Amino acid sequence: MSVIDEPAEEPDQIRDQLRQLFRYRACLVLGLLLGLLGGGAVFVLSGPTYTATGEVVVQAIGTAPFEGGGVSADKQISMGTERQIAQSASVAVKAAQALGERTAPAALQRDLRVSNPPETQTLVFEYSAGSADRAARLVNAFVQAYLDYRRDTAAQRIDTTVQKLNGELTPLLEQRKALDERLAAAGGGPAHAADQSGRSDLVSAIATLRGRISTLKSLDTTPGDIVRKGDPPAFPSSPGLNVLLLTGAVAGLALGILAAWVRSVLEPRIRSVADVQESLRAPVLGILPRRRSGGGVLEVGGSGRGNRAEAHRTIAFRLVHDRRFAGCGSLLIVSPRDDADAVPVAVNLAGALAEIGADVLLVEANLRTPVLAQRLPLRPSHGRPVPGSWAEGERLTVDAGADGRFALLPGREVPNPARALTSPQFARLLNAAGPDEHVVVVTGPLLAHADGLAVAKQAAGVVVVCDLHEVRRDDLDRVRELITAAGGHILGAVLDKGSRRRVLRPA
């Protein structure tokens, strides 16, 4: 049995939150299974992935003859631009043509990654495919296509410039030929000297153009060197089955924890002892262990030595000796709804009080369907039914063993239960208890009809019996509001684990 009166410290709050999550073990198990299935499905559907790698050192092609400025070769390369060129559609088209691939170039580009390590002129090509050989073939095709594209582009630019210079050279050659013919025909004089000077200028210009053409034709158009060829990888780059299962399990467990947390937040039933205390604003007097099936109502007295009997004795001892509860001569034992049975708690509290020497009267204030007289071991009675009001009727003796006996005022069907429970005779019955006398009253569920409220405003204290798994927070809130409004005082709550065992729910 556990009694919690003081606010929980931080470690207790953490333990309480963990208990609340483990109340929904079905969510945790379902999330874990879904994660494992998802990891297995990814492995089966996606299959292994292989990644081949190739590396190219990019070289600058001399462009100074037609792009002035005298910029050094290493500064003529923009590696960001080269990286974009390597991933361009033009390079993809060349790679597809070289392999004879019918796949669209855009589709081939999706699995290509090109990177440039910092402070280097190196491009790293990576290609992922379903087989190691295909990954190697495609990465090599893209490396070669990039180099061919760069070489062809440079050669085209050189050819274009050479054609332009040849176009400038042809008229100069024609002019020189004309001057040579005119000088050969002329005999001298001032005109001859002028032609000689013009011819010298033409020869100089022609030599300059021919030198530029020769320089362009001698340029090295090598775009770069392959420093690492794409070889078929020995192992797949994609995660293996174990990694996928572990990842799926972690993700599924996280999803299950989230679902359990959301379920606990939205759960209308109580989740812990602290919830009961918060709703009733009263302590939990005790938690009754699970009830064995087939047992009788009376568990204390005589040879009653089970866990539930000891729990009832502990609650009774607390009610008698705790200074906050001492002096409460009359107690009302009531449950919010039919999901919790207040009758066994009332009967066993009466038996436990009788064991410690108190005079106890158990009153069955259920005047609609009374059954308690048939469920208890009664001593033979030779009296006759007493006419008059129910509260002044015959009292029976319950045999709770050699050391314990208590009186029972059984319920009786009456035309107007509310009038009987508010009568002066019943009020005198509740107020007649002395220092060592206790009147324990049990009624039907408080939220089912108003009989319990009629008793609550007259009894010295009220004990609320709750099913630990089924009671709802809004029911407890309503019980507290009704009892307080009627002028009653809630002493505390007794939590009963019941007798049913639920699948994937805490015991």
Side-chain angles (χ1 to χ4, degrees):
M1 186 187 71
S2 174
V3 178
I4 302 178
D5 292 335
E6 301 299 330
E9 299 294 336
E10 184 174 353
D12 296 331
Q13 293 176 353
I14 295 175
R15 283 194 295 268
D16 186 58
Q17 292 173 359
L18 291 177
R19 288 194 204 100
Q20 293 172 15
L21 290 179
F22 278 102
R23 283 174 61 93
Y24 307 101
R25 291 190 284 269
C27 294
L28 301 178
V29 173
L30 181 60
L32 183 61
L33 291 178
L34 288 178
L36 291 173
L37 290 176
V42 169
F43 178 79
V44 172
L45 296 178
S46 63
T49 301
Y50 295 86
T51 301
T53 304
E55 295 183 8
V56 173
V57 174
V58 182
Q59 296 181 6
I61 299 175
T63 56
F66 50 90
E67 293 182 2
V71 181
S72 61
D74 60 336
K75 295 184 179 179
Q76 294 175 15
I77 300 177
S78 171
M79 295 307 297
T81 302
E82 296 300 326
R83 180 172 172 270
Q84 292 180 349
I85 291 174
Q87 298 179 105
S88 65
S90 300
V91 173
V93 169
K94 281 183 172 292
Q97 291 174 349
L99 291 173
E101 286 277 348
R102 296 182 180 180
T103 308
L108 292 177
Q109 284 179 276
R110 285 198 294 266
D111 297 318
L112 174 69
R113 294 177 300 280
V114 181
S115 60
N116 169 230
E119 305 298 330
T120 67
Q121 292 181 228
T122 303
L123 290 180
V124 180
F125 291 73
E126 295 180 333
Y127 200 93
S128 299
S131 66
D133 292 338
R134 178 172 174 78
R137 285 191 298 107
L138 281 167
V139 76
N140 289 328
F142 269 96
V143 168
Q144 192 60 49
Y146 163 72
L147 294 176
D148 291 344
Y149 176 83
R150 200 160 181 268
R151 181 188 299 107
D152 294 345
T153 303
Q156 184 179 2
R157 294 174 65 190
I158 291 174
D159 290 343
T160 301
T161 306
V162 168
Q163 290 178 5
K164 179 181 177 182
L165 294 178
N166 283 330
E168 296 177 3
L169 180 62
T170 301
L172 295 179
L173 292 174
E174 292 177 354
Q175 291 180 20
R176 189 187 67 174
K177 181 179 179 181
L179 282 175
D180 288 342
E181 291 175 354
R182 195 163 54 215
L183 287 173
H192 183 273
D195 289 339
Q196 284 286 359
S197 176
R199 185 181 183 282
S200 298
D201 293 338
L202 284 173
V203 170
S204 177
I206 290 171
T208 300
L209 287 175
R210 283 177 173 172
R212 294 179 64 185
I213 293 172
S214 177
T215 300
L216 286 173
K217 289 182 177 181
S218 64
L219 286 176
D220 182 10
T221 59
T222 303
D225 296 324
I226 300 176
V227 296
R228 180 181 178 184
K229 184 181 178 182
D231 295 323
F235 303 99
S237 58
S238 59
L241 178 60
N242 293 335
V243 175
L244 288 175
L245 289 178
L246 180 60
T247 303
V250 172
L253 186 59
L255 180 63
I257 292 175
L258 177 61
W261 178 80
V262 172
R263 178 77 185 279
S264 68
V265 171
L266 301 179
E267 175 61 69
R269 295 172 295 185
I270 64 168
R271 298 172 295 174
S272 64
V273 171
D275 286 345
V276 178
Q277 296 180 154
E278 182 180 359
S279 297
L280 292 178
R281 297 179 186 175
V284 171
L285 303 177
I287 300 179
L288 300 178
R290 190 176 302 281
R291 186 186 310 117
R292 293 182 179 179
S293 58
V297 176
L298 183 60
E299 297 173 294
V300 301
S303 59
R305 291 294 183 269
N307 292 335
R308 286 179 62 89
E310 293 303 324
H312 284 109
R313 292 187 178 101
T314 304
I315 297 172
F317 186 87
R318 178 173 185 177
L319 289 172
V320 170
H321 296 283
D322 195 316
R323 58 188 178 91
R324 291 176 293 178
F325 307 134
C328 297
S330 56
L331 294 175
L332 169 62
I333 313 298
V334 68
S335 63
R337 295 191 183 274
D338 291 329
D339 52 24
D341 193 356
V343 172
V345 176
V347 170
N348 287 283
L349 279 181
L353 291 171
E355 279 186 347
I356 60 178
D359 292 332
V360 182
L361 172 62
L362 176 61
V363 179
E364 183 184 16
N366 184 354
L367 306 183
R368 301 175 187 271
T369 56
V371 295
L372 196 51
Q374 289 77 33
R375 301 175 63 184
L376 292 176
L378 302 178
R379 283 178 167 255
S381 175
H382 303 288
R384 297 182 179 179
V386 179
S389 68
W390 159 76
E392 297 175 335
E394 180 185 9
R395 301 182 182 182
L396 306 177
T397 302
V398 179
D399 187 1
D403 298 328
R405 300 174 186 173
F406 58 90
L408 168 66
L409 177 59
R412 187 175 71 191
E413 293 186 12
V414 298
N416 192 332
R419 178 178 297 177
L421 293 176
T422 56
S423 64
Q425 294 85 351
F426 184 69
R428 286 195 298 270
L429 178 66
L430 295 180
N431 296 325
D436 294 328
E437 297 177 342
H438 298 281
V439 178
V440 180
V441 185
V442 60
T443 67
L446 186 69
L447 299 180
H449 44 71
D451 295 353
L453 289 178
V455 180
K457 68 179 182 179
Q458 304 177 74
V462 179
V463 175
V464 181
V465 180
C466 308
D467 187 298
L468 187 58
H469 302 299
E470 301 299 332
V471 65
R472 301 165 64 95
R473 285 192 293 269
D474 52 355
D475 286 346
L476 293 182
D477 293 337
R478 191 177 175 196
V479 165
R480 176 181 55 80
E481 292 173 358
L482 291 175
I483 292 178
T484 303
H489 173 60
I490 300 178
L491 296 179
V494 174
L495 302 183
D496 191 351
K497 289 187 176 181
S499 59
R500 292 173 294 175
R501 182 173 294 275
R502 295 163 176 80
V503 179
L504 292 177
R505 292 285 299 275

